[in-house]
Amino acid sequence: MKNSIGREIPEVIEGYGKTIPFAGAFTIQPAMNRQAPKVKSMHPGRQKVVDTLESVFQQIPITDGMTLSFHHHFRNGDGVVNQVLATAAALGIKNLKVALSSVFPVHETLIAHMKNGVVTSLDTNYMSGPVAKAVANGVLAAPVVLRTHGGRARAIECGQLPIDVAFIAAPAADEYGNLNGVQGPAACGSLGYAFPDAEYADHVVAVTDYIVEYPLAPISIPQCRVDYVVKVDCAGDPKGIVSGTTKITKDPVGLKIAAMAAKVIEAAGLLKNGFSFQTGAGGVSLAVAHFVRQRMEQEQIVGSFALGGITGYMVEMLEKGFFKKLIDVQGFDLEAIRSIQTNPNHLEVSANFYASPFNAGCAVNKLDVVVLGATEIDVDFHVNVVTGSDGVIMGGSGGHADAAAGAKVTIVVANLLRGRLPIIVDQVLTATTPGETIDVFVTERGVAVNPQRPELLQQLVAAGLPVKEIQELKAMAEKIAGVPQKLKTSDRIVAVVEYRDGSVIDVVRQVNQ
Amino acid sequence: MMVAADKEEEVRKIGQAGTLESNDVMITVVPGKAGSGVFIELTSIVKDQYGDAIRRTLLDVVAEQGSRDLYITVADRGALDCTIRARLLTALTRAGAVGKKGVV
């Protein structure tokens, strides 16, 4: 059957189950109660600290077929997933589902566990590197479920992603299971993506290399949700966890796009006191922040908050008074860590608070503007951030679809040509974020406005921006680069792309070799 | 009409042009034995989308120059058509497979 954006979705997908076709960004409404984890008791005098992961596996006990969850704040420095799965493999456990919020190159060992049946199912929001490639080439029999950051929180809370054991990579812990992300050698800042796991899993295990005297302060994840604390030699490699500095792009084309995106924000009438903003940590996104900041400075504008993954640049904007608050679900650099532990206006929030569509209101709903990237965008403004030009999985929504749905104005920025490849296509290979939630597409050669936003179109034209039809931009790119041939895919589904509400917006089919 | 080469020895030189930078292409032309035809060995980051187009462009340039019997190795980093043409023409020239008058 076809979903509402015309993507062919099977009614039942083997290894996934019955599908709910995507029906529009805000169509599907929840009709359930929240998931409830096991109720616990803890007698005075009992200890939570366990010496080894093996011992935790035996005490819980972890058995074949369970779902183990992990979060990705350690990014490419993560040591927890690999250590836990090595333990599972050594104990001969099979058929595990790994629910890891994002998969990085460091998780390459997953491939061996997939091949030998230790891990038979993967649930994630973003994947890059060798695991993504292996999945795209069909290493798992069951398709990977690709969610959004808000969608993962929703799935955990609504019972669609029940977790047997959540492993929390904890930069700092005390012996009774209070955790934070801001102290210790593996400090990573906010632990926001781990909050739903900690709150809803049947068993919660903190894995740390830094145990302090009780009670830990500050507390991000409290003792009342943590069953075990395991001390390992090294939970993560700081070099892979944080980057020293995040830099604005020096590429003149990137700067041109960023400057134009900033003008779009202003032309849309959003750059005024109380302005709220989200942008990624990439060079062009940061450059947009830079140009927005210049205008805020010139016009003496004080914004309300910046949201999402937080970089040093955003911290500087907070400290210099451009924004009153930062809402932080993930910190990218040392500055973000320093700020979140010292500045009361820098808030640590859960993935649920950030972006879940099924609660009484998430933070993306309060956004004026979000600036997002794309690997492809089509003439209906649907965006692909999952598959690359070779059809292989190289990313995922993360918060892309969530922020796009929530913000008043969603701006996608990209070069008209990436290498030789035109960014605008007739139909994206994999739809991640529906066009109805994208308002403006900004390239170095012009700005396209979603026809569903005629008033915005008028504002941008009035401001003298180089507004063009998206088809016109597409033709421009094809005149330079030629019309690309379409990729051929097989019928085999290697990933199911869920929209934030749990409906299926698209599937990823294996590329013909 | 262009003459493939004035002298035998000029034809046997290996000609190379281009770089492996993004949006460029490195082309190596090795003249082959008479009657061996044109053989193209293509690697490209956009082979799925433009492999056929690149081959067409290469063959067009070879035909325009009246060249025959070439082994062409192409390492493409997403070069545009005009770049591919220019790099091949230069490589052919360096291989002596283009009449000197033909190149400006």
Side-chain angles (χ1 to χ4, degrees):
Chain A
M1 85 199 125
K2 282 200 157 80
N3 66 18
S4 74
I5 60 165
R7 315 302 294 209
E8 188 60 47
I9 312 291
E11 275 175 51
V12 176
I13 299 172
E14 205 182 319
Y16 174 83
K18 208 170 169 320
T19 58
I20 302 164
F22 174 76
F26 301 99
T27 308
I28 293 170
Q29 290 301 310
M32 76 277 281
N33 287 340
R34 289 191 157 217
Q35 167 83 351
K38 277 191 190 349
V39 175
K40 300 287 174 63
S41 72
M42 184 72 178
H43 296 276
R46 256 167 61 186
Q47 302 297 314
K48 290 188 185 181
V49 175
V50 179
D51 289 336
T52 61
L53 285 166
E54 286 83 355
S55 178
V56 167
F57 268 66
Q58 282 149 2
Q59 286 184 45
I60 287 175
I62 294 176
T63 53
D64 290 1
M66 278 188 168
T67 296
L68 310 186
S69 88
F70 306 87
H71 61 110
H72 71 277
H73 295 96
F74 283 12
R75 290 176 285 272
N76 207 36
D78 179 47
V80 172
V81 172
N82 290 345
Q83 288 179 60
V84 168
L85 293 181
T87 306
L91 294 172
I93 293 165
K94 299 280 183 197
N95 292 326
L96 294 172
K97 176 191 272 195
V98 169
L100 165 59
S101 48
S102 294
V103 181
F104 286 88
V106 72
H107 299 121
E108 187 170 358
T109 62
L110 253 173
I111 299 169
H113 298 309
M114 288 169 169
K115 283 181 176 160
N116 61 27
V118 175
V119 175
T120 48
S121 186
L122 179 63
D123 192 303
T124 188
N125 311 340
Y126 178 96
M127 56 199 306
S128 62
V131 178
K133 208 167 172 188
V135 164
N137 289 327
V139 68
L140 285 176
V144 170
V145 180
L146 288 173
R147 303 182 193 272
T148 72
H149 284 329
R152 181 178 192 270
R154 182 219 86 246
I156 292 169
E157 294 174 349
C158 299
Q160 283 123 13
L161 178 55
I163 297 167
D164 293 297
V165 187
F167 287 90
I168 312 294
D174 65 32
E175 60 178 39
Y176 218 48
N178 294 300
L179 316 175
N180 73 42
V182 295
Q183 295 158 358
C188 62
S190 173
L191 289 178
Y193 291 123
F195 286 15
D197 305 49
E199 211 171 319
Y200 289 87
D202 278 342
H203 305 275
V204 178
V205 180
V207 182
T208 188
D209 52 20
Y210 187 73
I211 296 184
V212 303
E213 197 180 313
Y214 183 88
L216 176 77
I219 294 169
S220 290
I221 292 173
Q223 61 189 36
C224 31
R225 287 299 309 147
V226 179
D227 303 296
Y228 302 94
V229 177
V230 184
K231 175 99 172 18
V232 294
D233 291 335
C234 178
D237 172 12
K239 284 204 272 305
I241 297 173
V242 286
S243 51
T245 50
T246 34
K247 288 202 179 90
I248 293 165
T249 185
K250 288 202 173 81
D251 168 37
V253 177
L255 286 171
K256 185 176 179 191
I257 294 170
M260 200 134 47
K263 282 189 187 137
V264 167
I265 295 167
E266 197 171 358
L270 296 167
L271 208 55
K272 55 189 184 199
N273 285 332
F275 173 63
S276 59
F277 185 56
Q278 178 171 348
T279 185
V284 176
S285 303
L286 271 186
V288 181
H290 172 75
F291 289 116
V292 164
R293 172 178 165 169
Q294 276 186 347
R295 291 300 294 149
M296 290 173 86
E297 197 161 16
Q298 285 159 1
E299 301 293 321
Q300 304 264 304
I301 291 162
V302 178
S304 165
F305 69 92
L307 174 66
I310 296 299
T311 60
Y313 199 82
M314 288 299 164
V315 169
E316 203 184 311
M317 286 185 80
L318 173 72
E319 290 176 350
K320 297 216 161 134
F322 292 101
F323 288 110
K324 289 183 179 168
K325 309 277 163 53
L326 294 183
I327 302 181
D328 183 347
V329 74
Q330 172 180 206
F332 284 113
D333 54 26
L334 293 167
E335 282 297 284
I337 297 169
R338 176 188 59 76
S339 170
I340 203 172
Q341 66 177 322
T342 53
N343 193 334
N345 291 322
H346 185 153
L347 310 173
E348 180 183 30
V349 301
S350 72
N352 165 38
F353 183 111
Y354 167 43
S356 171
F358 290 174
N359 61 25
C362 57
V364 294
N365 291 352
K366 301 295 283 176
L367 275 175
D368 286 330
V369 176
V370 64
V371 179
L372 299 167
T375 57
E376 284 181 317
I377 183 165
D378 66 26
V379 292
D380 298 315
F381 288 80
H382 305 314
V383 173
N384 173 14
V385 287
V386 168
T387 45
S389 57
D390 52 3
V392 172
I393 298 168
M394 42 65 58
S397 177
H400 197 285
D402 298 308
K408 278 200 196 97
V409 171
T410 298
I411 301 171
V412 170
V413 292
N415 292 39
L416 194 62
L417 293 168
R418 195 162 27 84
R420 185 176 178 170
L421 293 171
I423 198 104
I424 307 169
V425 292
D426 283 325
Q427 210 180 36
V428 286
L429 184 66
T430 312
T432 314
T433 301
E436 67 177 289
T437 63
I438 307 291
D439 300 301
V440 189
F441 176 49
V442 178
T443 77
E444 73 277 23
R445 286 172 191 261
V447 175
V449 182
N450 191 325
Q452 291 173 7
R453 300 294 306 271
E455 72 295 343
L456 185 61
L457 178 83
Q458 279 175 5
Q459 286 173 313
L460 302 196
V461 170
L465 281 152
V467 177
K468 298 197 166 60
E469 297 275 336
I470 196 161
Q471 283 90 348
E472 203 180 334
L473 288 171
K474 175 170 174 277
M476 211 183 269
E478 288 176 351
K479 200 179 164 203
I480 298 167
V483 180
Q485 284 181 298
K486 277 202 173 139
L487 275 189
K488 291 185 180 69
T489 53
S490 68
D491 288 338
R492 168 136 187 240
I493 293 171
V494 293
V496 177
V497 184
E498 277 196 5
Y499 191 58
R500 58 203 299 255
D501 62 6
S503 63
V504 177
I505 189 159
D506 211 343
V507 293
V508 179
R509 294 187 168 87
Q510 192 174 345
V511 178
N512 286 337
Q513 292 300 308
Chain B
M1 191 190 142
M2 217 76 69
V3 179
D6 300 333
K7 296 173 194 163
E8 262 307 275
E9 57 267 27
E10 275 185 314
V11 187
R12 293 214 186 92
K13 277 191 292 187
I14 295 173
Q16 190 176 61
T19 70
L20 295 174
E21 299 293 318
S22 297
N23 288 85
D24 201 352
V25 59
M26 185 181 270
I27 299 183
T28 311
V29 176
V30 183
K33 281 184 187 146
S36 61
V38 177
F39 187 86
I40 296 167
E41 188 187 320
L42 173 66
T43 53
S44 171
I45 55 166
V46 291
K47 199 170 177 177
D48 292 333
Q49 293 84 0
Y50 290 107
D52 292 346
I54 293 168
R55 279 174 194 281
R56 262 199 313 276
T57 300
L58 295 167
L59 291 173
D60 283 354
V61 173
V62 168
E64 284 161 19
Q65 298 309 320
S67 306
R68 286 187 299 267
D69 307 326
L70 298 167
Y71 192 99
I72 306 174
T73 310
V74 180
D76 173 51
R77 295 287 182 273
L80 297 177
D81 222 41
C82 50
T83 311
I84 296 168
R85 295 184 74 90
R87 294 303 191 193
L88 178 57
L89 196 56
T90 307
L92 285 171
T93 308
R94 288 173 181 165
V98 169
K100 289 191 175 72
K101 287 176 194 162
V103 183
V104 181

